[in-house]
Amino acid sequence: MLELHNVSIYRGILCVAHQINLKCQKGKVYSLLGPNGAGKSSLIGAIFGTIKHTGSITFNGQSLGLTNYMEWNKSIGYMPQDNTVDASLSALEVVLLGLINHLGMYLSDEQVKLGAEIMQELGILHLAQRDIMSLSGGQRQMVLFAQVLLKNPQLLLLDEPVSALDMHHQCVLLDCVKTYTKKHNLTTLMVLHDLSLSAQFADELIVLSNAHVEAQGDPRSVLTQELIERLYHVHVDIFYDKDKLPIIVAKKALKQRSLK
């Protein structure tokens, strides 16, 4: 279990997270939502150990501290927003970079086999020998996701993993995230902006606003018209699919109240 107790994060004098308390279970996908500047990426960075915070963060009973960063993130698969590859490498070679801390002068047959197995599980083994620069954006994103999984993480942190993808590749990647999380009993926390995608692919939603947790729970209970219009300043219609999951349609921007 991932637990945050009274976690606060400051960027200069600006508080981007204030006294955050969260519990995230194994085998579940959690989506972090909230307006721009709500502190979503900062919270992900704090959990990974790259952003300073006060309060405590624990995972499976181990606490994140100043001296155990390397040991802490061994069990974490982290995919940042700006995760790009500019080198001319094969897709398999990019995946194998997930073992960067265990690679020597030569790749072992076992390491190559592990990389191929992950690609097979994600349905991208046919891309193994392709140059990463020749792949589409969606294909590259899947390769980078395979790289994260090769680390054999227990906790997945994904910061806007589908922001640059078309509708098809968004669904492909998020379906892989959900399936892999369930199959391997991981804890997955991902930042998304699309409310409808979050409702479809996350077990629980965590909504941040003004440095606080505004709401947490299943998509049906969290994504109310009142909450969306209050936080995002957009008038919306909410429909429900056959599984009674909400589909959010933005209609028009609402005028924000000026601060006095």
Side-chain angles (χ1 to χ4, degrees), residues 89-94 116 119 124-131:
L89 299 171
S90 73
L92 179 57
E93 288 171 332
V94 172
M119 296 185 78
I124 57 172
L125 184 58
H126 63 288
L127 302 176
Q129 300 307 317
R130 292 270 304 275
D131 190 304

Side-chain angles (χ1 to χ4, degrees), residues 98-223:
L99 297 173
I100 190 70
N101 293 327
H102 305 284
L103 296 177
M105 290 294 293
Y106 302 98
L107 289 167
S108 69
D109 290 341
E110 184 62 26
Q111 288 171 327
V112 174
K113 181 182 177 183
L114 285 173
E117 287 174 349
I118 288 289
M119 296 185 78
Q120 177 70 44
E121 188 168 355
L122 296 181
I124 57 172
L125 184 58
H126 63 288
L127 302 176
Q129 300 307 317
R130 292 270 304 275
D131 190 304
I132 190 69
M133 302 304 293
S134 73
L135 302 183
S136 70
Q139 290 171 329
R140 282 198 298 271
Q141 201 77 335
M142 290 295 293
V143 169
L144 292 170
F145 183 52
Q147 181 192 96
V148 170
L149 296 184
L150 190 59
K151 195 177 178 182
N152 193 28
Q154 299 174 50
L155 172 62
L156 272 180
L157 302 175
L158 310 174
D159 195 352
E160 298 189 37
V162 298
S163 61
L165 303 184
D166 62 31
M167 190 181 297
H168 171 77
H169 288 100
Q170 286 178 344
C171 290
V172 169
L173 180 55
L174 291 177
D175 187 57
C176 285
V177 170
K178 189 166 187 175
T179 300
Y180 199 91
T181 297
K182 305 296 183 186
K183 181 178 178 180
H184 297 275
N185 200 31
L186 308 183
T187 302
T188 296
L189 188 61
M190 60 182 180
V191 174
L192 292 179
H193 280 293
D194 190 307
L195 304 185
S196 297
L197 281 178
S198 294
Q200 294 295 317
F201 292 101
D203 299 293
E204 288 193 28
L205 311 181
I206 301 167
V207 183
L208 300 180
S209 177
N210 295 321
H212 293 84
V213 175
E214 184 75 24
Q216 179 177 358
D218 69 86
R220 285 176 289 271
S221 63
V222 168
L223 292 178

Side-chain angles (χ1 to χ4, degrees), residues 3 26 28 30 45 60 76 82 123 135 142 150 160 174 235 253 257:
E3 294 187 69
K26 288 185 176 182
K28 282 189 172 185
Y30 296 82
N60 291 344
I76 299 177
D82 55 354
L135 302 183
M142 290 295 293
L150 190 59
E160 298 189 37
L174 291 177
H235 177 67
R257 293 179 180 176

